[in-house]
Amino acid sequence: DAKTTQPPSMDCAEGRAANLPCNHSTISGNEYVYWYRQIHSQGPQYIIHGLKNNETNEMASLIITEDRKSSTLILPHATLRDTAVYYCIVRVANTGTASKLTFGTGTRLQVTL
Amino acid sequence: NAGVMQNPRHLVRRRGQEARLRCSPMKGHSHVYWYRQLPEEGLKFMVYLQKENIIDESGMPKERFSAEFPKEGPSILRIQQVVRGDSAAYFCASSSLGPSSYNEQFFGPGTRLTVL
């Protein structure tokens, strides 16, 4: 699976959009980009995933660059409950060992008043 | 629809004892994954199981650790002769699809193992 690079930490004011970047310059054509988050020692929570098109769900939006070498997770209106470590993961699809998630160090997002 | 359930939530063992961690996947999910998070570290994959089969155990320590997912009942992660270095949070995840790009994994709350 391709390696990802994320900033170690970010701050965001409550109510503002939080934009979390991720570099995955070695991503291959059959790899998807997944985002998970872990709120203070809880189990990780799935947020969103995408291949090459931008994606949006009730939690967030995922913007993937045209060359797919980087992506941005957007939380449109961050709240204090969004304070967490956010993990960007790329995974190969449709292979026997594709199912495991390889977590990096992630970005620690601190949402402040 | 209940989520992934893990029990116990907290487990204390003395060195040399056995630890058994249980995971009940979400309803309809037949794929289970175990991850370990050591204090102040990231999550590390341990093992991936389908019903009655171990698919990928590349992250499992070679000794003392074993996992199963029987046809009936929860998945069990078993640690024999625990040592202090086994103290960690153990998370279970489940999914409903096989190896595919839409294989979102849903995590349980974890079991925090403390070895005295």
Side-chain angles (χ1 to χ4, degrees), chain A residues 23-84:
Chain A
N23 287 322
H24 32 79
S25 58
T26 60
I27 192 171
S28 57
N30 61 350
E31 287 182 314
Y32 282 65
V33 181
Y34 286 75
W35 283 83
Y36 281 78
R37 72 181 182 183
Q38 186 176 26
I39 298 172
H40 187 56
S41 302
Q42 297 180 19
Q45 179 186 22
Y46 165 80
I47 302 173
I48 198 167
H49 75 274
L51 180 62
K52 56 184 178 181
N53 297 319
N54 297 338
E55 302 288 344
T56 296
N57 62 20
E58 65 279 4
M59 290 183 67
S61 295
L62 174 60
I63 308 298
I64 303 174
T65 58
E66 191 170 346
D67 63 7
R68 303 207 324 121
K69 293 184 177 182
S70 65
S71 60
T72 301
L73 179 75
I74 301 173
L75 307 178
H77 305 287
T79 71
L80 296 177
R81 287 177 294 181
D82 293 321
T83 294

Side-chain angles (χ1 to χ4, degrees), chain A residues 32 34 38 41 95 99 101, chain B residues 35 37 99 101-103 105 112:
Chain A
Y32 282 65
Y34 286 75
Q38 186 176 26
S41 302
T95 70
S99 293
L101 295 170
Chain B
Y35 295 82
Q37 187 168 34
S101 59
Y102 300 98
N103 192 6
Q105 296 181 19
R112 276 145 190 85

Side-chain angles (χ1 to χ4, degrees), chain A residues 78-92:
Chain A
T79 71
L80 296 177
R81 287 177 294 181
D82 293 321
T83 294
V85 179
Y86 287 78
Y87 297 98
C88 169
I89 300 167
V90 293
R91 297 168 71 197
V92 175

